[in-house]
């Protein structure tokens, strides 16, 4: 009896001792080894950013996207092809952006001209730098280009304004390479109401014409993007779309109150339909800006003087406004949100609906950028933070590209079904 008890005690001591040895010998996850692990994952997975406004810099510019520009230097922009490679970003949706103007025949004509010009510029970039980048039209293109060590350039269209009132324009843009349409921008248009148009407080949601636009998107295989759309527009679009939809650059309202962000209920509805929310890097959508009365006053004055900066139609006026905004930014700099706070938004979506419905949409060159990831060369920082939170490679692969490519595939499948 006594010897049995002794044997039992010896076994217990042995178990404790071996557990202790194993525990104390395990290398601690230092910042260095965490970074190394994150780097490996970042290089292995397909990394996709679903929104930047860099394409607006391309037409007629002396600025060259094939040349590396020093981050933070004046006029360097947030994205160029060498920095994309440096930051390990495999695929970018270059947005063909047209600011909302007059809803007249003349307005539609001008909008279409500008859209085609920007579209041409993205295609010209691919022709000029075939060793660095290729035009991507399908998810398979992105995976192929990644294997070849080239960047994938997708084209999105921010604002349905260039569609005008002519439905066939959608297929024309699709044939030229456009793969998503953000139905509106900062003002209401013929398709739907915007989340930020205060001229008319009534939210009418999706219009009759808008319903036709969504149906046509489903038919041709164009992804419908609800970023910038009002809450009613969002629910209307979700109701009529036969394919999953995306928010190409929006964050979570639960963490940062903004009409541009999606509420928890909206995120649940979006995920319920198989869609994806691509977390936006625009600092004031990530964390409410800290009070900065001098900056706010100066910005308010510029707003009164020029209206929404990106809706300015006259080139010379736009340039002057840009310079004045830059001066305000230099005089009263904004304290930006951090990568940690950005990843909080990703984690919030995961907690709410799971890991299959969230991704990344930087809005670089359209105001996007946070402390620690303020240009495309720093994209790796997001992966690093995800690894720090304990996310596995499989999860990170979904967040960075798997989810949006799945939705894209579903949109193509729905189009095939509707056509056959
Ligand atoms: Zn936008």
């Amino acid at each position: 009896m006594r010897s049995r008890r002794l044997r039992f005690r010896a076994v217990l001591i042995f178990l404790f001792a071996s557990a202790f040895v194993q525990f104390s010998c395990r290398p601690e996850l230092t910042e260095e080894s965490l970074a190394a692990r994150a780097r490996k994952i970042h290089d292995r997975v397909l990394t996709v950013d679903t929104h930047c406004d860099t394409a607006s810099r391309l037409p007629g510019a002396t600025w060259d996207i094939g040349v590396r520009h020093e981050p933070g230097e004046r006029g360097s922009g947030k994205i160029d092809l060498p920095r994309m490679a440096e930051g390990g970003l495999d695929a970018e949706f270059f947005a063909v952006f047209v600011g909302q103007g007059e809803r007249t025949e003349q307005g539609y004509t001008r909008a279409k001209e500008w859209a085609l010009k920007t579209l041409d510029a993205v295609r010209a970039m691919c022709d000029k730098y075939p060793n660095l980048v290729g035009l991507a039209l399908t998810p398979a293109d992105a995976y192929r280009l990644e294997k070849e060590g080239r960047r994938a350039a997708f084209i999105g269209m921010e604002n349905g304004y260039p569609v005008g009132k002519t439905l066939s324009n959608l297929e024309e843009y699709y044939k030229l390479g456009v793969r998503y349409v953000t139905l509106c921008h900062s003002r209401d248009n013929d398709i739907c109401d915007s989340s930020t148009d205060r001229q008319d407080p009534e939210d009418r949601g999706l219009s009759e014409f808008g319903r036709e636009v969504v149906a046509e998107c489903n038919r041709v295989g164009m992804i419908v993007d609800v970023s910038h759309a009002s809450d009613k527009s969002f629910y209307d679009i979700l109701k009529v779309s036969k394919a999953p939809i995306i928010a190409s650059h929006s964050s979570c309202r639960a963490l940062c109150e903004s009409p541009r962000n999606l509420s928890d209920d909206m995120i649940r509805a979006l995920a319920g339909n198989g869609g994806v929310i691509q977390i936006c890097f625009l600092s004031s959508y990530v964390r409410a800006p800290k009070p900065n009365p001098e900056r706010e006053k100066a910005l308010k004055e510029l707003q009164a003087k020029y209206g929404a900066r990106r809706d300015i139609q006259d080139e010379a006026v736009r340039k002057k406004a840009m310079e004045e905004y830059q001066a305000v930014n230099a005089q009263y700099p904004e304290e930006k949100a951090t990568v940690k706070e950005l990843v909080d938004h990703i984690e919030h979506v995961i907690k709410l609906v799971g890991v299959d419905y969230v991704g990344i949409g930087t809005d670089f060159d359209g105001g996007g950028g946070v402390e620690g990831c303020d240009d495309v060369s720093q994209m790796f920082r997001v992966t690093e933070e995800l690894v720090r939170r304990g996310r596995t490679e499989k999860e990170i692969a979904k967040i960075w590209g798997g989810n949006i490519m799945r939705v894209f595939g579903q949109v193509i499948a729905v189009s095939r079904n509707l056509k056959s």
Side-chain angles (χ1 to χ4, degrees):
M1 185 74 185
R2 197 175 157 204
S3 72
R4 200 189 288 169
R5 201 178 293 161
L6 268 177
R7 214 180 305 152
F8 179 67
R9 210 177 284 170
V11 167
L12 263 185
I13 289 169
F14 172 77
L15 281 176
F16 272 122
S18 58
F20 176 76
V21 167
Q22 213 179 2
F23 183 75
S24 59
C25 289
R26 188 186 289 169
E28 210 173 288
L29 199 60
T30 59
E31 276 300 302
E32 210 175 313
S33 59
L34 188 144
R37 192 203 292 183
R39 179 62 73 185
K40 269 191 200 144
I41 294 174
H42 192 74
D43 287 345
R44 274 198 295 253
V45 304
L46 178 76
T47 50
V48 184
D49 171 17
T50 50
H51 192 86
C52 78
D53 282 300
T54 313
S56 298
R57 295 169 65 89
L58 295 176
T62 48
W63 180 84
D64 190 341
I65 196 163
V67 171
R68 187 185 187 279
H69 302 78
E70 196 53 33
E73 229 163 64
R74 206 178 164 160
S76 62
K78 307 271 188 195
I79 293 181
D80 55 45
L81 297 173
R83 272 186 291 162
M84 254 181 97
E86 208 175 299
L89 183 67
D90 299 316
E92 179 65 71
F93 277 81
F94 290 90
V96 167
F97 167 74
V98 184
Q100 187 61 45
E102 292 297 312
R103 285 150 72 171
T104 59
E105 275 314 311
Q106 201 193 2
Y108 301 139
T109 306
R110 268 177 63 169
K112 187 170 179 178
E113 276 168 13
W114 180 253
L116 291 176
K117 210 164 142 184
T118 313
L119 234 161
D120 272 354
V122 178
R123 298 181 68 107
M125 166 187 81
C126 298
D127 292 340
K128 191 175 173 191
Y129 296 107
N131 296 329
L132 300 180
V133 63
L135 187 68
L137 302 171
T138 62
D141 285 343
Y143 288 103
R144 171 182 52 81
L145 285 158
E146 188 212 5
K147 271 206 191 94
E148 293 169 4
R150 297 194 285 154
R151 308 300 114 196
F154 286 106
I155 304 175
M157 179 175 275
E158 186 175 33
N159 200 356
Y161 180 39
V163 174
K165 292 215 162 168
T166 313
L167 216 51
S168 62
N169 276 333
L170 268 169
E171 194 162 21
E172 187 181 335
Y173 296 140
Y174 181 87
K175 283 180 177 160
L176 290 169
V178 177
R179 288 297 179 268
Y180 77 63
V181 175
T182 317
L183 296 186
C184 66
H185 189 241
S186 51
R187 282 162 58 196
D188 302 345
N189 65 14
D190 292 303
I191 300 169
C192 66
D193 275 10
S194 163
S195 60
T196 50
D197 196 336
R198 285 175 189 89
Q199 287 181 0
D200 183 355
E202 195 200 340
D203 185 356
R204 287 155 302 197
L206 192 66
S207 70
E208 265 314 306
F209 177 65
R211 277 163 218 276
E212 290 175 39
V213 167
V214 173
E216 182 65 358
C217 284
N218 290 164
R219 192 187 69 83
V220 302
M222 187 84 88
I223 304 168
V224 175
D225 176 18
V226 293
S227 281
H228 287 286
S230 71
D231 287 15
K232 184 164 190 311
S233 299
F234 169 89
Y235 288 109
D236 287 350
I237 294 161
L238 204 59
K239 216 180 286 166
V240 298
S241 178
K242 292 193 168 71
I245 60 175
I246 68 165
S248 71
H249 58 305
S250 295
S251 299
C252 307
R253 213 176 279 176
L255 301 189
C256 181
E257 180 66 40
S258 163
R260 272 284 285 107
N261 289 342
L262 305 192
S263 71
D264 285 356
D265 187 66
M266 290 160 98
I267 294 169
R268 279 191 210 98
L270 182 84
N273 207 31
V276 62
I277 171 173
Q278 305 284 106
I279 300 300
C280 184
F281 285 37
L282 208 134
S283 183
S284 58
Y285 300 164
V286 175
R287 183 196 62 206
K290 290 188 177 151
N292 190 342
E294 283 155 322
R295 178 184 163 86
E296 281 152 35
K297 185 169 168 271
L299 287 177
K300 220 179 215 168
E301 279 166 15
L302 286 183
Q303 173 84 18
K305 189 168 165 189
Y306 292 109
R309 196 177 4 161
R310 298 186 68 206
D311 291 338
I312 300 170
Q313 304 284 312
D314 186 286
E315 203 58 52
V317 178
R318 196 198 329 242
K319 209 175 153 214
K320 191 160 174 294
M322 283 290 272
E323 280 166 10
E324 288 182 40
Y325 271 100
Q326 273 165 3
V328 169
N329 273 328
Q331 199 176 355
Y332 312 111
E334 172 195 26
E335 197 187 306
K336 284 187 173 174
T338 62
V339 172
K340 212 167 160 288
E341 287 168 312
L342 178 91
V343 172
D344 285 344
H345 284 253
I346 297 176
E347 292 291 336
H348 180 77
V349 179
I350 295 174
K351 214 187 311 162
L352 208 58
V353 290
V355 77
D356 294 312
Y357 310 100
V358 64
I360 283 153
T362 62
D363 210 0
F364 279 151
D365 290 321
V370 294
E371 188 67 44
C373 189
D374 200 24
D375 88 314
V376 72
S377 70
Q378 299 179 304
M379 288 306 237
F380 161 70
R381 297 284 165 224
V382 177
T383 307
E384 204 176 39
E385 183 60 25
L386 286 167
V387 170
R388 188 173 288 120
R389 305 280 175 110
R391 291 289 154 206
T392 64
E393 177 163 350
K394 207 173 153 199
E395 290 172 323
I396 292 171
K398 286 181 176 185
I399 297 164
W400 258 122
N403 292 338
I404 180 68
M405 290 298 120
R406 177 201 76 229
V407 172
F408 196 173
Q410 284 171 291
V411 169
I412 293 170
V414 167
S415 159
R416 278 200 192 122
N417 278 341
L418 290 171
K419 278 177 178 168
S420 66

